Amino acid sequence: MPKTLNKPYHHGNLKNELIDAALDILKKKGLVGLSLRELAINLGVSHGAPYRHFKNKTELLEAIAVIGHQNLIQVGNKARQKNPADPKQQLFELGLNYIQYVSRNPEIANLMFGGVLSLENCGPELKQASNDSIGGLFAIIESGKQSGLFVNKDTQSLALTALATVHGLSMLIIGGILKDQVSSDAKLQALGKSVYEIMLNGLLIKR
Amino acid sequence: MPKTLNKPYHHGNLKNELIDAALDILKKKGLVGLSLRELAINLGVSHGAPYRHFKNKTELLEAIAVIGHQNLIQVGNKARQKNPADPKQQLFELGLNYIQYVSRNPEIANLMFGGVLSLENCGPELKQASNDSIGGLFAIIESGKQSGLFVNKDTQSLALTALATVHGLSMLIIGGILKDQVSSDAKLQALGKSVYEIMLNGLLIKR
DNA sequence: ACCTGAACACCGTTCAAGT
DNA sequence: ACCTGAACACCGTTCAAGT
């Protein structure tokens, strides 16, 4: 990791290095263990330096949450591009990769969804990113409806149901509530597939 | 609210008062605004006093999370008792009331599910409570399967699908992601009902 | 424009000492 | 058994001053 190389640097892209270092500590020590002062010291600057790039600690955390949302947006985009004209498979891949991303980045996910940040009084970047992250799912549902695959109910309710299922499963997993059910990667995959099929076909017996 | 009544008290049930006061501040100022020191001062004791009743701040937060889980367990119990032999209605009430409880107690929910506490290294009470909170749902699914109402898949997958949907919707709501969709209590109710029916019947068109 | 270093007002936690 | 008060090691944030 880049600590001090040849010489102490007095400028550069401290902003991005702060974000990277923050991500690092977040994964290692969790949100509680993350302090701006430690970040600054680790990067060889004074503890006041971060405030030239972030108004406060929250603004740094928001920057990380934005990255998380952008990653989820990518998950949606990839799922669509990889399976053109197959909304069912698109939905499946979106779901499984969503769960996988959250499982592998629990600290970022908790930052995005754990109530630490407020979408009301946050910067415009986070507002934008968090809005956009639902977009891919809506598109999939919409195309699936048009091709007569999905039920003809309002797109929003359908999309939210799918999102809720996937999101809920993800959050339950990183919350540790399902630790028995997802002790291995294979089990997680199996559970995801199982839930996905129940979501598609419903809980009720057909009549 | 109980601050200083007639005389300064030097003993009593400080432990419970700390929990109550913490809940109060949690709702008013959020988790970030909660400090043991302020709690102690508000209750008229020294800042060291809380440490006679809680090993540390985390242990206080765990006590609150336990209360939250117990409340969710009650939600499940009520839903079952109120609609005997009607698993469909039981599931509906459990779901809507779960969403309602989380919506109305977002700080507690974020404490339970937001990654602040670890279910791995927490006290036995929280472990117990968090395990039990899924129980009611399992019972509903099981009885619904036996009466030929729900699909004959493994109970765990069915229960987790239902839980994930309800939990996910709840967390999305308090996360502010659905603020447009749930701006009023009526809208929340409508969305809940809509999602519930999609969950029951599935996304796919029957063939 | 960017960074430093002192300063302020907080924290959590520990521990001898008091009652 | 329960609480106090000093003490320690941290925080976030601000701001004059440096380069």
Side-chain angles (χ1 to χ4, degrees), chain B residues 60-81:
Chain B
L60 207 198
L61 297 181
E62 284 185 10
I64 294 177
V66 168
I67 293 176
H69 277 108
Q70 286 170 345
N71 288 338
L72 283 185
I73 292 171
Q74 274 237 354
V75 162
N77 289 344
K78 273 190 193 162
R80 280 193 295 158
Q81 289 164 10

Side-chain angles (χ1 to χ4, degrees), chain A residues 159-176:
Chain A
L160 287 186
T161 305
L163 178 60
T165 310
V166 164
H167 182 69
L169 196 56
S170 304
M171 295 307 280
L172 288 171
I173 289 170
I174 65 173

Side-chain angles (χ1 to χ4, degrees), chain A residues 87-202:
Chain A
K88 208 171 141 186
Q89 186 62 21
Q90 286 175 349
L91 188 61
F92 180 66
E93 277 208 22
L94 169 55
L96 269 204
N97 288 332
Y98 189 107
I99 294 172
Q100 202 161 75
Y101 179 78
V102 171
S103 306
R104 291 180 181 171
N105 303 277
E107 307 84 5
I108 300 180
N110 280 324
L111 209 52
M112 289 188 268
F113 305 113
V116 183
L117 304 172
S118 154
L119 288 182
E120 309 263 323
N121 10 346
C122 71
E125 301 87 357
L126 180 54
K127 255 172 194 158
Q128 181 74 30
S130 89
N131 267 338
D132 292 354
S133 62
I134 324 186
L137 183 57
F138 269 71
I140 293 176
I141 298 290
E142 191 60 39
S143 81
K145 272 173 64 177
Q146 282 175 7
S147 61
L149 185 69
F150 296 145
V151 139
N152 191 24
K153 300 192 177 181
D154 68 299
T155 303
Q156 179 170 272
S157 295
L158 290 172
L160 287 186
T161 305
L163 178 60
T165 310
V166 164
H167 182 69
L169 196 56
S170 304
M171 295 307 280
L172 288 171
I173 289 170
I174 65 173
I177 288 97
L178 308 182
K179 71 175 192 307
D180 297 337
Q181 288 85 358
V182 292
S183 50
S184 74
D185 222 55
K187 277 193 181 178
L188 191 153
Q189 200 89 359
L191 179 62
K193 199 171 160 73
S194 190
V195 167
Y196 164 77
E197 279 178 4
I198 295 170
M199 183 178 87
L200 284 186
N201 295 301

Side-chain angles (χ1 to χ4, degrees), chain B residues 44-68:
Chain B
V45 294
S46 78
H47 63 259
Y51 288 85
R52 289 300 121 195
H53 301 96
F54 298 100
K55 176 169 118 259
N56 50 32
K57 190 179 178 180
T58 299
E59 205 166 281
L60 207 198
L61 297 181
E62 284 185 10
I64 294 177
V66 168
I67 293 176

